Amino acid sequence: MSKSGIPYSGCYASYLTTISILNLQLMISTQFTDQECLDWEKSLRIDLKKTNTSIITDPIIERLRDAPLFLLNELRLSSISSAIINFTSTTEHYIKDIMELSLKRNSSLRKKAFKNFSIPALELEDFESIDAIKKKLFKSISSEQSKGQLFSNKFKKAKSFLNIENENGNSEIYKSLDSIWQIRNKIAHSNKGFINKLEIYTDNGIKVLNKEPSKEEYLYFSIDLLKIIDDFTKSLKVLDNQILEKWPANSFIN
């Protein structure tokens, strides 16, 4: 239950916690400085000497000392990339989780889902009860009903399955979120783990973060990214409540 008295699911509560931590981590990373890189080099040398580790860390320490500004740029871009990966992954998990929860809660939704879904007879040997079979189907159905390359594909398919109309999910927020998913997809196919030029769609047009951003450029890009995440998180709370009302717990499967 939220402070406003509007109920939300455990799926959303978990989502909100993860997003809050992600926001904090991204904001903290905007404060990194080249002087901190030099300080880290000194403290790392001391700490690693104490551990007597066999891990090869000299190249990292040398870069902190000899090229702090270059490494700082990589840290900034890596922080943005990590935030994007975590946000998209957490959001995709929520979509699947809320569908699974709805299937567990409501017999009418289960009948709708099972109508066009089958399980191979041989797989029945692995289960001891009907409820265990149903839970496997819930995961399969939730995965199937949230497929898509971009956010808009996944979300529209999930809302259609749940028979939910949500005006908060307007075309502008879809464009913004799709631009974040496009970055995630590029990162997934990059051998670096991050890409040098990031572009996101915002209310004020496309915002770009290049390979060597200043601290101010990085800060403003991070704020633009967090605003998209925050707007969506608020919209998702409304949707979450609609789903709970649409599919009440009339026949719950534990």
Side-chain angles (χ1 to χ4, degrees):
M1 180 78 72
S2 67
K3 291 182 179 179
S4 63
I6 300 175
Y8 52 70
S9 69
C11 306
Y12 182 79
S14 177
Y15 178 86
L16 190 61
T17 298
T18 302
I19 293 300
S20 298
I21 295 171
L22 182 154
N23 290 353
L24 176 62
Q25 291 173 334
L26 189 54
M27 280 289 90
I28 288 175
S29 70
T30 66
Q31 302 305 301
F32 293 162
T33 66
D34 52 346
Q35 180 57 51
E36 281 183 317
C37 288
L38 294 172
D39 294 339
W40 293 337
E41 182 268 332
K42 294 176 183 177
S43 61
L44 272 173
R45 280 192 183 279
I46 295 171
D47 289 343
L48 290 173
K49 188 175 182 180
K50 292 177 183 177
T51 63
N52 194 30
T53 179
S54 59
I55 300 172
I56 300 174
T57 55
D58 286 345
I60 300 171
I61 293 177
E62 288 171 5
R63 290 185 74 184
L64 282 169
R65 181 192 62 205
D66 300 334
L69 186 57
F70 177 80
L71 188 58
L72 183 59
N73 288 330
E74 290 195 351
L75 283 171
R76 286 171 175 163
L77 291 172
S78 180
S79 293
I80 287 279
S81 297
S82 295
I84 286 172
I85 291 170
N86 289 337
F87 167 64
T88 54
S89 174
T90 299
T91 301
E92 289 177 3
H93 276 297
Y94 168 82
I95 295 172
K96 292 177 182 177
D97 286 348
I98 194 64
M99 282 195 284
E100 280 191 50
L101 177 63
S102 298
L103 286 163
K104 288 179 180 179
R105 283 164 56 92
N106 192 275
S107 59
S108 296
L109 184 61
R110 292 198 291 271
K111 290 175 183 176
K112 172 187 174 182
F114 294 162
K115 186 185 300 183
N116 299 311
F117 205 92
S118 62
I119 183 170
L122 286 176
E123 292 189 20
L124 299 178
E125 187 68 23
D126 298 329
F127 301 99
E128 296 181 358
S129 69
I130 294 296
D131 282 355
I133 296 171
K134 288 179 179 179
K135 287 178 183 179
K136 176 179 173 59
L137 286 174
F138 296 163
K139 291 187 178 297
S140 298
I141 291 167
S142 298
S143 294
E144 181 63 31
Q145 295 299 329
S146 59
K147 284 184 176 179
Q149 191 73 6
L150 299 177
F151 168 82
S152 58
N153 309 129
K154 297 173 181 292
F155 207 52
K156 288 177 181 178
K157 190 168 186 178
K159 288 201 301 178
S160 176
F161 171 74
L162 292 168
N163 195 22
I164 295 293
E165 292 296 331
N166 180 245
E167 295 304 321
N168 291 296
N170 58 60
S171 59
E172 292 302 305
I173 192 66
Y174 280 163
K175 287 181 182 178
S176 296
L177 292 165
D178 278 352
S179 69
I180 294 175
W181 257 257
Q182 285 172 340
I183 294 175
R184 193 280 300 273
N185 293 340
K186 288 180 181 177
I187 293 171
H189 294 93
S190 169
N191 61 359
K192 299 178 181 178
F194 60 89
I195 51 181
N196 294 329
K197 181 180 179 182
L198 308 178
E199 296 181 7
I200 56 173
Y201 180 87
T202 73
D203 293 339
N204 298 313
I206 296 175
K207 297 298 177 72
V208 179
L209 188 70
N210 289 306
K211 185 177 180 180
E212 297 181 0
S214 66
K215 182 177 179 180
E216 187 176 64
E217 289 170 336
Y218 179 76
L219 173 63
Y220 282 118
F221 188 88
S222 297
I223 289 174
D224 285 331
L225 175 61
L226 288 175
K227 184 179 184 305
I228 295 170
I229 294 173
D230 184 60
D231 287 346
F232 174 67
T233 300
K234 291 173 181 175
S235 170
L236 195 63
K237 181 180 177 182
V238 176
L239 179 75
D240 186 86
N241 182 245
Q242 290 177 328
I243 294 171
L244 294 182
E245 290 182 350
K246 180 74 177 180
W247 305 110
N250 65 2
S251 178
F252 198 89
I253 295 175
N254 291 318

